Amino acid sequence: LAYFYWNYTKEYGYFAAHGIPESPGYFPYGSSEMLDVMKGQASFFMVPYELYKRFKNEKICGYYAGPTKTVVVNDMELIRHVLIKRGCC
């Protein structure tokens, strides 16, 4: 049981350790925004928008959907660079 908990939560704090603002993760649902989704109080598609509003002065931020790390990019120039200049195929 302890191994399951450790394996599930080992990535929490990843963004903070790398200097990226984050919505902290909590077992078992991830970030607090995901708890609202699981309760049916918010839409999954509204989570990035809520984080955009909360971290609007940051270029990127992160949150956790369960054990999965997810990045929200707020900077249009960074989005262009990733999608246009660095896009593959």
Side-chain angles (χ1 to χ4, degrees), residues 12-28:
Y12 292 173
Y14 175 86
F15 297 114
H18 289 86
I20 300 170
E22 71 173 8
S23 179
Y26 303 99
F27 181 78

Side-chain angles (χ1 to χ4, degrees), residues 6 8 13 15 20 24 39 43 45 53 55 63 81:
W6 173 81
Y8 195 87
F15 297 114
I20 300 170
K39 289 182 186 176
S43 166
F45 300 104
K53 290 191 307 186
F55 296 107
Y63 73 97
H81 180 74

Side-chain angles (χ1 to χ4, degrees), residues 11 20 38 42 47 77:
E11 298 295 334
I20 300 170
M38 289 185 180
V47 172
E77 287 303 316

Side-chain angles (χ1 to χ4, degrees), residues 74-82 85:
N74 295 335
D75 183 47
M76 190 56 70
E77 287 303 316
L78 185 57
I79 293 171
R80 283 190 190 110
H81 180 74
V82 170
K85 294 180 182 176

